[in-house]
Amino acid sequence: MLLDGPVAAALEHIKDLGDFVVASPTPFHAVAEAGRRLTEAGFTELDETATWELVPGGYYIVRDGSLVAWRIPDGATPGTAFRIIGSHTDSPTFKLKPRPDIRTGDGWQQIGVEVYGGPLLNSWLDRELGLAGLAVIADGDQTRTELVKTGPIMRIPQLAPHLDRGVNANGLTLDPQQHTAPVWGVGRPDRGILDHLAGLVGIGRDQLLGYDITAYDTNPPAVFGADDEFFASGRLDNLSSVHAGLSALLHAEPGAYIPMLAAFDHEEVGSSSRSGAAGPILEDVLTRIGSALGYAGQDQLRAYAGSVCLSGDAGHSVHPNYPGHHDPQNRPLINGGPLLKINAVQRYATDARGAAIWRRACAAAGVRSQDFVSNNAIPCGSTIGPITATRLGITTVDVGIPLVSMHSARELAGVNDALALSRAMQAFLTDHA
């Protein structure tokens, strides 16, 4: 094992990450699981429609598929700054369309889905998939919400090579409309998928007023390799950072800052929503905390000026079969430690001051860090980091664990990196940077 520290601790942490992923097939489930863990640790869930009276202690809110959690330390004043871990709860997938039932003349029952984010489409083929998400239900004159989750219910079948003789020589080409509709039945034209989902929560189809339902791979996460060094799972981009930040917040010792976790939805599609990083959710919470602390005059801007956000999102390990796609000098590898993500045109928000804060946190935690920068010939992705820095003017630094097969239905990580990221985040929250 490549990371300093006991092997048992890394395996225990990665098992907990696996449990978190299994409990979180969608952003709605992820924030519900995070909320459950926070409540068990003594945090209080707040209602955004109520007036907040904040005393020292832990709090959190849930807005759709997003969560913001924080701890007010003893002695917090209007000038107390924030240490924020930002992450996102969503992952590339397929979203259930309106009127989703597709009945072919040949007897298959299929489901109409829309591509969400930028998944590697081929990685979703020939897997047993489930559906999960949020249902809005008529309840008398009111509405209520329920989480929905099926087991393995559908599959996107690939065409056999006998019927596509050039597939291996010429490459697989998928039409996202024609070739990604999952099958979920045959010979049952009377059955509808919305009726099935309604039945799972004990209601009639007419009570299902709205839904936000997506596909997920039902294959559970796995540790493998001769030395148990690899971890394969869906949704590591970005539940790996949500879990690391949650663990860091729950274990961080009180310090001079207000520690916070902000887990946003919709990063994979641009973050422009009421629960995305480009929306108002984080600023809303910061403003309300400041109001409870008695902000006056320049206090809010003073607090922001002293605050730092650690934007946690997965990055790329060097790929063994495509080494030329990476920068020649900066060659991060899974199990080599979490990444410091750098980009000259600010697709990542890291600057010199942020890099120094991250490196001090890693040193305090006894964690090795690796630099990631893109090959100049290959465009760089982005994160919630630049959005947060732009919206709030808070120093922001981009980090995350290295992955292989990012945006696959099943991504590959190193067992050691998840614990290392969480330890560095904990040091960041507890003033060791």
Side-chain angles (χ1 to χ4, degrees):
M1 307 291 272
L2 300 179
L3 177 71
D4 296 334
V7 171
L11 289 173
E12 181 181 359
H13 186 88
I14 209 73
K15 179 184 182 303
D16 192 63
L17 171 57
D19 292 342
F20 186 81
V21 170
V22 169
S24 307
T26 73
F28 304 106
H29 289 80
V31 298
E33 174 63 12
R36 183 190 68 79
R37 294 182 179 209
L38 287 162
T39 299
E40 285 187 354
F43 283 65
T44 300
E45 182 176 6
L46 298 177
D47 182 349
E48 288 195 83
T49 67
T51 300
W52 295 358
E53 301 291 341
L54 303 182
V55 297
Y59 303 89
Y60 70 95
I61 66 157
V62 170
R63 183 186 294 183
D64 301 332
S66 297
L67 173 144
V68 182
W70 66 96
R71 197 189 298 272
I72 302 293
D74 291 329
T77 70
T80 300
F82 297 85
R83 282 293 174 99
I84 304 166
I85 295 172
S87 57
H88 67 89
T89 58
D90 62 322
S91 302
T93 182
F94 298 88
K95 185 174 182 180
L96 196 66
K97 287 183 174 181
R99 302 182 64 182
D101 291 307
I102 302 172
R103 298 177 175 90
T104 73
D106 299 304
W108 287 103
Q109 284 77 59
Q110 293 178 272
I111 298 173
V113 292
E114 186 176 7
V115 177
Y116 178 90
L120 282 170
L121 295 178
N122 65 292
S123 71
W124 288 81
L125 302 178
D126 299 331
R127 294 180 179 272
E128 289 62 60
L129 306 175
L131 289 171
L134 187 75
V136 181
I137 297 165
D139 189 2
D141 295 332
Q142 306 295 318
T143 61
R144 60 184 173 85
T145 59
E146 290 277 354
L147 294 180
V148 181
K149 180 182 178 183
T150 75
I153 195 176
M154 61 188 191
R155 179 181 173 105
I156 305 173
Q158 188 170 184
L159 186 64
H162 313 75
L163 305 177
D164 185 5
R165 292 292 182 179
V167 64
N168 289 324
N170 302 325
L172 176 66
T173 300
L174 295 174
D175 182 310
Q177 176 65 34
Q178 181 67 27
H179 299 143
T180 63
V183 298
W184 80 293
V186 62
R188 289 287 306 274
D190 57 315
R191 183 171 56 181
I193 188 61
L194 296 182
D195 297 285
H196 181 78
L197 294 174
L200 292 178
V201 291
I203 62 169
R205 168 67 185 88
D206 60 335
Q207 292 177 270
L208 183 60
L209 301 182
Y211 56 86
D212 195 334
I213 303 292
T214 52
Y216 75 99
D217 179 15
T218 61
N219 195 23
V223 172
F224 70 103
D227 296 317
D228 286 339
E229 63 208 283
F230 300 123
F231 181 65
S233 175
R235 303 182 297 285
L236 292 177
D237 176 13
N238 185 35
L239 294 183
S240 59
S241 295
V242 176
H243 177 265
L246 178 63
S247 178
L249 180 63
L250 291 175
H251 292 96
E253 295 293 331
Y257 300 95
I258 297 173
M260 176 177 286
L261 169 67
F264 303 99
D265 200 355
H266 301 135
E267 189 272 349
E268 297 292 353
V269 292
S271 296
S272 295
S273 70
R274 82 183 203 108
S275 53
I281 180 171
L282 178 56
E283 188 172 12
D284 287 351
V285 172
L286 294 176
T287 298
R288 296 186 71 166
I289 292 172
S291 177
L293 292 176
Y295 277 4
Q298 301 178 29
D299 287 341
Q300 184 168 12
L301 296 180
R302 287 175 52 233
Y304 284 9
S307 298
V308 184
C309 176
L310 202 63
S311 166
D313 200 347
H316 300 289
S317 167
V318 170
H319 195 296
N321 295 336
Y322 303 89
H325 284 61
H326 303 272
D327 181 73
Q329 277 71 51
N330 295 279
R331 314 286 289 178
L333 197 64
I334 64 171
N335 279 328
L339 305 177
L340 174 65
K341 300 163 66 174
I342 300 163
N343 183 255
V345 296
Q346 293 297 290
R347 298 289 286 171
Y348 304 134
T350 304
D351 60 11
R353 180 170 180 265
I357 290 170
W358 169 248
R359 290 188 173 115
R360 288 182 62 193
C362 289
V367 165
R368 289 179 292 173
S369 177
Q370 307 178 87
D371 292 338
F372 172 82
V373 64
S374 293
N375 183 308
N376 287 338
I378 298 175
C380 179
S382 192
T383 69
I384 62 110
I387 296 170
T388 302
T390 301
R391 276 194 60 90
L392 300 175
I394 291 176
T395 295
T396 304
V397 53
D398 272 290
V399 302
I401 66 169
L403 299 180
V404 175
S405 307
M406 187 186 291
H407 284 204
S408 171
R410 194 166 176 85
E411 296 161 319
L412 177 65
V415 165
N416 294 316
D417 294 327
L419 177 60
L421 177 63
S422 183
R423 284 177 171 170
M425 286 179 166
Q426 185 177 337
F428 166 78
L429 291 180
T430 51
D431 306 349
H432 296 309

